[in-house]
């Protein structure tokens, strides 16, 4: 049905373009009609300027007891009384619950997050697996007690000494000081953690980096995550039942829902156990296609090859899928995107020149898009964020340097898109040898102080490109270096995690979240190493993740009533559990999240009712704008709804301290508004600012109370929501 | 035609009243295009757009934001369109209104479809002359497939393929621009 509507809408727009019949200006006609109509109606002066009917301003409800004013009901007077009666009943019930809560806690429920008020975890006795089993009940305690739940450690509550303290009148202005921007801290090119989280240390519980059995790897994932949950005081959700787990496995590993026979085969007949099910899925062609499609979409984002239906998109996916199905080393597939002359050991000659597809689609404009994509997808680093300035320098760790980014650009100098005979068969022109001969292969770049510096042609680890055996050009050297790179191993492990869990294990930028970042880095390093030791087999890597305990954890059952009744601390705990994979994620699950524009459009709409009172009012109202939902657990979403989706309510913009700090620093810097948008949209290294995104961001800024800061937080939420889809 | 929002809080929020001029200026093109997408011809779209605004003026409304108002206007326009169809005893095309709304938002966004139209214009200019001619004949002159095939000197099937391919290219091009 959506496709039919899409076709119809597109046809009507096409007709407008072809015929030139644009919307007419009907102002005069409408004004005249209204004047005539209102002159016949007593009490309305239709001629009086153009100010006409009275509007009912949305009520600012601050108390649950006031949820009786449903403005929609006022439109239909015949429904007014019943609606008021129902609303009053609901309000009475909620008041009773509220009274009960107050009586039990001895404190009024907080309506705003307060880091100084500690949170005592709910009085829930976990079962033997650590699941929630008891009723949810929270207590608020005074300042002398433990820290707030969001605070994994002091760094999340107290600003780092290196960061400027916010003045009472707001953040202090600074001169282009972009130090401490969080993107630098999570990169493997830089340190594994920021100083305020302590120096990274491999925990004793992690095994040595020798080749482990697959069972041992799964055990290690489980133990590492359970330790993290314990440290952060997070209670995981219950494990899924068999039926849900089969569905979840199919959807996450192949992208398709299982049919009834497949479910029955697993659930009723027990023809396969869980491990066998996952292995059979990972060996299927559907998995190979799904993995290849997911990878191609992200690595080719914004190009024709991102579209699975285009010829170049098909060719790329087929080549990648073949590697997965044959269980060939995946690291070679990635290296071949930069230089197809590399032949994996024990493999047949592949006729698909994937480097032509990859390089030609992304080359151009100084090859910055190409460098950015290689950084995120092959080096697990948002290195492009350092195009204009160095990243953070913390302690004795290496910093992410501007010069390193420009070295990557230098390795790609002279690669240009050619003029193909067919648009679907892109070609590249490699002028690297010519540039080297003419000694013009080192680009200049501008330092923040205005000086120009020549970039060195060195590999991401700082070694000379000429040190790579068999490489005649920098491009070939980069491709060959990547094959044995640990950064590439980590990048693939992170992408596999994202495919299985919906979000990467370690965010490309620490601005996205920093909860338990050190433990996550350690786990990622272990997965990267085991991926390498198991012959870079993507299928195996994914099967380890899908066999873990976290994969089987269910989604938290939330509905409007749960949200209305929950305290801020409970809401924060829900959010935190998802960030550390103790519950299936809500972010990225709605249709709006499929595109960045869609996600941003949704958040723009909800932003107008962002005050908690407005949200409560809306959530307490019956949803008159849509049919009843089949399941109350399914999050209501869609830009066609005024009601914020549950993922927006749970993961509200700015709930993470990292996000707020990142945005604060952007706002207090001397960056222009457009540059600030670019920093937020580009925080994952995948997306760029389109005109429509910019327009929506402008609209947010002008309409949202709180100005640029709130607008950027919402923009960041939209990026996260889209990124998780 | 681009109609820019003022960027200021709506007058309704400040004074509790609706400024008709501003309301019409901001939303009329979006409502009109929406009605055209529902299947109205230009004349019916004119009438129903006018009726939509009059309907809004007759009843109090909540002004949360431009987006919410635009959504409400579309809902009213949709209902008026259904009423008109019922009155004319014509086939209904109104199932799954939510699907329609979300699809509309995907194409038209929050600027009444101006960006999409602009992108479509640019993409249309990049089509081959033959593809452009075929689509002009189809949409501007409402020619039959046979007539289009005759004009271009190709078979019926060829004309169908040509138009399908052209539309697919256009959609992909517009989608990439709107990303």
């Amino acid at each position: 049905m959506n496709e039919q509507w899409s076709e119809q809408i597109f046809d009507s727009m096409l007709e407008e373009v072809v015929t030139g019949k644009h919307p007419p200006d009907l102002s005069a006609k409408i004004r005249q009609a209204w004047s005539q109509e209102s002159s016949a109606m007593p009490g309305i002066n239709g001629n009086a300027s153009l100010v006409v009917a009275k509007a009912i301003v949305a009520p600012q409800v601050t108390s649950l007891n006031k949820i009786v004013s449903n403005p929609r009901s006022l439109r239909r007077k015949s429904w007014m009384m019943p609606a008021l009666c129902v609303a009053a009943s609901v309000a009475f019930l909620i008041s009773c619950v509220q009274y009960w809560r107050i009586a039990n806690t001895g404190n009024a429920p907080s309506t705003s997050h307060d880091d100084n008020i500690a949170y005592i975890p709910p009085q829930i006795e976990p079962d033997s697996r650590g699941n929630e089993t008891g009723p949810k009940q929270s207590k608020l305690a005074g300042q002398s007690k433990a820290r707030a739940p969001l605070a994994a450690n002091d760094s999340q509550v107290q600003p780092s000494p290196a960061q400027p303290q916010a003045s009472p009148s707001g953040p202090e202005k600074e001169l282009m000081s972009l130090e401490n921007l969080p993107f630098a801290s999570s990169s493997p090119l830089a340190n594994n953690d920021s100083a305020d989280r302590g120096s990274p240390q491999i925990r004793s519980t992690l095994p040595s980096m020798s080749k482990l059995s697959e069972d041992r790897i799964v055990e290690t994932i489980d133990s590492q995550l359970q330790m993290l949950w314990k440290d952060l005081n997070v209670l995981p959700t219950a494990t899924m039942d068999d039926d849900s787990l089969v569905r979840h496995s199919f959807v996450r590993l192949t992208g398709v829902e299982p049919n009834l026979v497949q479910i029955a085969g697993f659930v009723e007949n027990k023809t396969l156990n869980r491990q066998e099910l996952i292995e059979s899925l990972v060996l299927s062609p559907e998995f190979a296609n799904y993995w290849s499609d997911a990878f191609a979409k992200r690595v080719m984002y914004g190009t024709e090859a991102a579209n699975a239906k285009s010829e170049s998109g098909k060719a790329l996916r087929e080549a990648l899928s073949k590697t997965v199905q044959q269980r060939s080393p995946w690291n070679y597939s990635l290296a071949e995107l930069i230089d197809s002359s590399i032949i994996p050991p024990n493999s047949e000659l592949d006729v698909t020149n994937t480097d032509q597809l990859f390089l030609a689609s992304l080359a151009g404009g100084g090859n910055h898009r190409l460098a950015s994509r290689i950084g995120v997808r092959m080096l697990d680093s948002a290195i492009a964020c350092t195009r204009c300035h160095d990243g953070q320098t913390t302690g004795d760790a290496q910093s992410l340097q501007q010069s390193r980014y420009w070295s990557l650009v230098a390795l790609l100098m002279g690669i240009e898109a050619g003029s193909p005979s067919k648009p679907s068969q892109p070609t590249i022109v490699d002028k690297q040898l010519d540039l080297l001969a003419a000694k013009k292969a080192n680009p200049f770049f501008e330092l923040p102080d205005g000086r120009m510096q020549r970039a060195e042609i060195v590999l991401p680890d700082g070694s000379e490109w000429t040190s790579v055996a068999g490489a005649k050009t920098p491009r070939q050297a980069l491709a060959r270096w990547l094959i044995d790179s640990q950064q590439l191993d980590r990048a693939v492990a992170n992408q596999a995690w994202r495919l299985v869990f919906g979000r990467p294990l370690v965010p490309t930028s620490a601005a996205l979240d920093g909860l338990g970042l050190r433990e996550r880095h350690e786990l990622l390093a272990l997965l990267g190493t085991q991926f390498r030791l198991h012959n870079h087999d993507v299928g195996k890597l994914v099967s380890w993740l899908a066999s873990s305990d976290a994969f089987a954890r269910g989604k938290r059952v939330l509905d409007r009533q749960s949200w209305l009744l929950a305290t801020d601390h409970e809401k924060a705990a829900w959010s935190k559990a998802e960030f550390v994979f103790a519950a299936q994620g809500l972010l990225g699950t709605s249709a709006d999240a499929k595109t960045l524009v869609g996600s941003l459009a949704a958040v723009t709409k909800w932003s107008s009712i962002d005050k908690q009172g407005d949200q409560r009012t809306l959530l307490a109202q019956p949803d008159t704008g849509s049919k009843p939902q089949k399941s109350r657990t399914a999050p209501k979403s869609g830009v066609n709804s005024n009601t914020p989706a549950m993922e927006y309510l749970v993961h509200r913009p700015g709930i993470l301290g990292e996000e707020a700090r990142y945005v604060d620093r952007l706002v207090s810097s001397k960056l222009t508004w457009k540059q600030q948008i670019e920093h937020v949209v580009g925080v994952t290294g995948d997306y760029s600012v389109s005109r429509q995104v910019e327009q929506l961001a402008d609209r947010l800024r002008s309409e949202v109370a709180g100005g640029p800061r709130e607008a950027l937080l919402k923009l960041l939420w939209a990026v996260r929501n889209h990124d998780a889809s | 035609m681009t109609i820019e929002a003022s960027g200021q809080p709506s007058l309704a929020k400040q004074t509790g009243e609706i400024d008709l001029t501003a309301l019409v200026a901001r939303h009329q093109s979006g409502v009109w295009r929406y009605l055209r997408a529902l299947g109205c011809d230009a004349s019916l779209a004119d009438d129903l757009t006018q009726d939509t605004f009059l309907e809004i003026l007759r009843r109090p409304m909540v002004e949360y934001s431009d987006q919410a108002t635009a959504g409400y206007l579309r809902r009213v326009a949709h209902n008026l369109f259904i009423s008109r169809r019922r009155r004319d005893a014509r086939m209904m095309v109104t199932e799954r209104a939510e699907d329609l709304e979300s699809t509309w938002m995907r194409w038209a966004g929050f600027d009444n479809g101006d960006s999409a139209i602009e992108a479509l214009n640019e993409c249309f200019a990049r089509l081959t002359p033959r593809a452009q001619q075929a689509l002009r004949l189809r949409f501007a002159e409402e020619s039959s497939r046979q007539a289009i095939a005759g004009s271009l000197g190709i078979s019926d099937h060829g004309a169908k393929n040509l138009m399908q391919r052209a539309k697919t290219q256009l959609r992909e091009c517009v989608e990439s621009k709107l990303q």
Side-chain angles (χ1 to χ4, degrees), chain A residues 325-394:
Chain A
Q325 275 185 273
Q326 293 175 347
R327 312 208 83 159
S328 303
W330 180 253
N331 55 334
Y332 277 89
S333 285
L334 299 190
E336 281 181 81
L337 292 177
I338 296 174
D339 181 9
S340 284
S341 65
I342 296 172
I343 309 296
N346 307 321
S347 74
E348 297 170 6
L349 186 64
D350 192 344
V351 293
T352 311
N353 290 327
T354 50
D355 59 348
Q356 304 282 330
L357 296 171
F358 177 69
L359 296 175
S361 299
L362 292 165
N367 286 343
H368 292 293
R369 189 163 62 152
L370 186 54
S372 169
R373 220 50 70 84
I374 290 173
V376 174
R377 297 289 145 217
M378 301 183 196
L379 303 173
D380 202 32
S381 161
I383 191 173
C385 290
T386 55
R387 178 174 165 180
C388 306
H389 50 80
D390 282 351
Q392 183 181 15
T393 301
T394 51

Side-chain angles (χ1 to χ4, degrees), chain B:
Chain B
M1 174 164 45
T2 303
I3 299 172
E4 292 290 338
S6 66
Q8 298 298 319
S10 69
L11 190 61
K13 283 181 178 170
Q14 298 169 25
T15 65
E17 294 174 324
I18 298 172
D19 182 340
L20 174 59
T21 306
L23 185 77
V24 173
R26 276 203 301 273
H27 299 293
Q28 61 172 334
S29 61
V31 174
W32 190 86
R33 280 187 181 133
Y34 178 78
L35 286 162
R36 291 282 282 146
L38 280 176
C40 296
D41 59 26
S43 160
L44 181 58
D46 286 359
D47 289 350
L48 292 184
T49 303
Q50 177 179 322
D51 290 350
T52 299
F53 283 99
L54 292 178
E55 196 64 33
I56 290 290
L57 297 171
R58 289 180 196 123
R59 298 159 193 263
M61 61 175 282
V62 183
E63 274 241 285
Y64 282 115
S65 66
D66 261 6
Q67 294 81 41
T69 303
Y72 183 53
L73 283 164
R74 284 195 295 275
R75 181 63 59 88
V76 173
H78 189 248
N79 290 341
L80 289 172
F81 174 68
I82 294 170
S83 303
R84 182 66 68 101
R85 288 270 167 155
R86 278 187 185 142
R87 207 170 62 202
D88 298 346
R90 293 173 70 176
M91 186 181 285
M92 300 262 297
V93 289
T94 52
E95 286 180 11
R96 312 277 306 265
E98 281 183 18
D99 287 345
L100 168 62
E101 179 68 10
S102 61
T103 313
W104 172 261
M105 289 307 295
R106 214 168 57 235
W107 280 106
F110 284 131
D111 64 355
N112 295 321
D114 289 335
S115 294
I117 292 288
E118 197 178 327
L120 193 51
N121 255 320
E122 289 169 16
C123 295
F124 188 79
R126 286 161 56 178
L127 289 178
T128 62
R130 281 167 69 78
Q132 289 185 12
Q133 191 186 350
L135 291 177
R136 278 204 187 92
L137 289 169
R138 163 78 181 80
F139 287 100
E141 298 179 20
E142 297 182 356
S143 304
S144 66
R145 197 193 300 162
Q146 287 84 353
I148 296 170
S151 298
L152 297 174
I154 53 177
S155 65
D156 279 11
H157 193 62
K160 182 185 169 191
N161 278 346
L162 177 64
M163 286 190 290
Q164 273 182 349
R165 277 204 310 273
K167 279 178 65 179
T168 305
Q169 280 176 15
L170 276 178
R171 281 185 67 154
E172 286 173 3
C173 174
V174 172
E175 279 168 352
S176 69
K177 280 181 184 292
L178 295 180
Q179 281 263 321

Side-chain angles (χ1 to χ4, degrees), chain A residues 40-179:
Chain A
M41 294 163 64
I44 296 181
N45 181 7
N47 298 320
S49 78
L50 295 169
V51 177
V52 285
K54 290 279 179 187
I56 299 171
V57 179
Q60 304 293 318
V61 179
T62 54
S63 160
L64 285 176
N65 297 332
K66 294 183 181 174
I67 305 173
V68 290
S69 52
N70 177 354
R72 283 177 180 274
S73 66
L74 299 177
R75 288 202 207 118
R76 301 179 185 86
K77 290 186 177 179
S78 60
W79 290 95
M80 229 174 119
M81 284 311 293
L84 281 174
C85 289
V86 171
S89 307
V90 171
F92 175 73
L93 284 173
I94 293 173
S95 301
C96 291
V97 174
Q98 193 80 334
Y99 174 77
W100 177 82
R101 293 163 73 89
I102 293 168
N104 278 279
T105 59
N107 283 288
S110 168
T111 53
S112 62
H113 182 66
D114 184 349
D115 280 339
N116 293 323
I117 296 178
Y119 170 65
I120 295 178
Q123 305 298 308
I124 299 170
E125 289 298 324
D127 64 16
S128 57
R129 290 184 65 91
N131 300 332
E132 297 175 15
T133 55
K136 290 173 188 167
Q137 185 183 342
S138 65
K139 287 184 179 178
L140 295 169
Q143 288 181 319
S144 60
K145 300 281 179 65
R147 290 188 296 260
L150 267 179
N153 50 39
D154 288 337
S155 67
Q156 291 169 317
V157 176
Q158 298 165 357
S160 148
Q163 293 176 312
Q165 302 287 333
S167 67
S169 59
E172 292 173 5
K173 285 280 176 189
E174 60 183 2
L175 295 176
M176 196 61 190
S177 170
L178 293 167
E179 289 179 358

Side-chain angles (χ1 to χ4, degrees), chain A residues 170-246:
Chain A
E172 292 173 5
K173 285 280 176 189
E174 60 183 2
L175 295 176
M176 196 61 190
S177 170
L178 293 167
E179 289 179 358
N180 294 333
L181 282 177
F183 56 74
S185 62
S186 67
S187 166
L189 291 181
N191 57 316
N192 275 350
D193 213 332
S194 56
D196 57 0
R197 292 187 180 87
S199 58
Q201 293 174 347
I202 302 297
R203 289 188 170 214
S204 58
T205 51
L206 279 179
S208 62
M209 292 300 189
S210 55
K211 185 173 179 179
L212 301 174
S213 70
E214 299 196 34
D215 288 344
R216 182 83 176 91
I217 296 170
V218 176
E219 282 172 19
T220 309
I221 296 170
D222 289 347
S223 61
Q224 188 74 355
L225 283 181
Q226 278 164 9
M227 192 160 53
L228 178 61
W229 297 342
K230 193 176 170 187
D231 286 352
L232 295 176
N233 205 11
V234 166
L235 286 171
T237 52
T239 50
M240 298 179 201
D241 57 30
D242 286 350
D243 187 290
S244 305
L245 187 57
V246 175

